[in-house]
Amino acid sequence: MQSRFRSDRRLTVRMGLTLFLLGLLYVGFVAALIVLLKSWVLVAVLVAAMFVAQFWFSDRIAMFAMRGRVVEREEYPELHAVVDRLCAIADMPKPVVAVSAMDMPNAFATGRNPDHAVVCVTTGLLRRLEPAELEGVLAHELSHVAHKDVAVITVASFLGVIAGLIVRFAFYSQVFGGGRRDQNTAAVFAAVIGVSVAVYALSFLLIRALSRYRELAADRAAAHLTGRPSALASALTKVSGDIARIPTEDLRTAQAFNAFYFTPATGRDPGIERFFSTHPTLGQRLEQLGRISAELGEAATPGKAG
């Protein structure tokens, strides 16, 4: 079913291109591992198991890691009401609604498709945002589901996960595997490490570039669906400012899931590292919302809820 979220052909093209390039990288990676490890069965079983786990259980993994739990309408009636209204406007299936007991104000969407999606907000976000701001954040997250970029990011990140696991597997097999470690074994070990590191680096860059664009696309779609870009801008400003005041040590666990968050748990706007960030800078996002506000003739000033 096609939702009424504003379509973004450039996002679709970028998702397709990223998956194509990662697919080529994936084929080469698996072929290299089979040659180096001399066991296509081992490689096939490992890759297949990890793909199934990440794609089919990504929502459960994310929910567990970020302490999210499914909540019913009786427990959070206002939250459910906003999601119901947005889904009705967007003409899309209602996702599972969840809440994470974290003080860090944030939200994320996960799931392999719109029929198996979860939208989760933290208690810190619910406590800090006004209703219009919350609506903007939820519209942003729902647009990720409607555009199917959540599933694409999940699949795209799979190769990097496999590369990282191969490095660890190769390392521990050498440390604890026993047996004779001759020059050939050392060469295979070094080759596996080298190939895995290269694959991880390339997939890292491709995924980050796609992630930054999909966040801008979600902001655009949410602003047009709600007709209130200033409320979304206000939420962005408020959430980013509050995250910056949270101690860094409290953000470290959440940073592993930055690609899925509404705003990255970095505590500051990136400098030169913005080229490796999962999100555009706050300035870029507010500038875009300001242009949309002007296009829509919105009376409120971006950065303040209307």
Side-chain angles (χ1 to χ4, degrees):
M1 182 175 64
Q2 182 69 37
S3 78
R4 291 175 184 160
F5 271 105
R6 186 167 180 155
S7 61
D8 193 315
R9 291 185 179 179
R10 288 179 294 177
L11 174 62
T12 302
V13 169
R14 280 171 167 80
M15 289 193 297
L17 180 61
T18 299
L19 288 178
F20 175 73
L21 293 175
L22 285 173
L24 291 179
L25 192 61
Y26 171 74
V27 171
F29 181 50
V30 171
L33 289 181
I34 291 174
V35 171
L36 292 170
L37 299 179
K38 296 181 173 61
S39 175
W40 67 267
V41 175
L42 172 64
V43 174
V45 169
L46 177 64
V47 170
M50 286 304 303
F51 179 80
V52 170
Q54 185 164 358
F55 186 69
W56 290 93
F57 302 107
S58 61
D59 53 344
R60 300 179 191 178
I61 295 171
M63 288 278 284
F64 174 79
M66 290 178 272
R67 297 179 296 188
R69 65 180 182 88
V70 176
V71 296
E72 301 301 330
R73 184 183 305 276
E74 294 74 20
E75 191 174 359
Y76 284 88
E78 295 86 359
L79 176 60
H80 272 271
V82 176
V83 175
D84 284 337
R85 182 168 64 253
L86 289 171
C87 288
I89 295 172
D91 192 22
M92 64 180 289
K94 181 182 179 182
V96 172
V97 178
V99 171
S100 169
M102 298 174 66
D103 184 60
M104 178 189 68
N106 230 317
F108 66 91
T110 184
R112 62 185 184 272
N113 58 49
D115 292 317
H116 299 86
V118 179
V119 170
C120 181
V121 298
T122 66
T123 53
L125 186 83
L126 293 174
R127 187 170 62 253
R128 289 171 171 88
L129 297 190
E130 299 296 327
E133 296 169 338
L134 178 62
E135 181 182 66
V137 172
L138 288 171
H140 172 103
E141 296 304 327
L142 288 172
S143 76
H144 282 315
V145 175
H147 288 156
K148 300 182 177 63
D149 57 71
V150 171
V152 171
I153 284 291
T154 299
V155 172
S157 61
F158 165 71
L159 187 57
V161 171
I162 285 293
L165 287 175
I166 289 295
V167 171
R168 293 185 184 182
F169 173 79
F171 174 77
Y172 286 115
S173 67
Q174 286 296 297
V175 172
F176 301 111
R180 193 179 67 174
R181 296 182 177 87
D182 54 19
Q183 288 185 339
N184 288 335
T185 301
V188 170
F189 173 71
V192 168
I193 294 292
V195 170
S196 299
V197 169
V199 167
Y200 180 82
L202 290 172
S203 62
F204 178 92
L205 293 174
L206 287 171
I207 292 166
R208 291 303 191 276
L210 174 61
S211 182
R212 289 192 297 274
Y213 186 85
R214 85 181 187 113
E215 293 301 330
L216 290 173
D219 284 346
R220 285 194 298 271
H224 282 99
L225 184 76
T226 63
R228 304 180 75 176
S230 64
L232 180 56
S234 177
L236 272 168
T237 302
K238 186 180 292 185
V239 169
S240 299
D242 285 351
I243 287 179
R245 288 190 284 272
I246 295 177
T248 302
E249 55 269 23
D250 294 339
L251 297 176
R252 284 174 183 162
T253 301
Q255 286 173 357
F257 297 92
N258 271 345
F260 293 93
Y261 279 132
F262 170 66
T263 300
T266 56
R268 58 188 173 83
D269 226 18
I272 188 65
E273 64 268 27
R274 67 183 181 276
F275 298 108
F276 309 105
S277 174
T278 56
H279 289 63
T281 65
L282 176 61
Q284 289 174 312
R285 297 177 76 175
L286 293 179
E287 181 182 2
Q288 175 181 249
L289 290 170
R291 290 196 301 269
I292 296 174
S293 183
E295 292 170 5
L296 297 178
E298 190 182 32
T301 302
K304 295 183 180 180

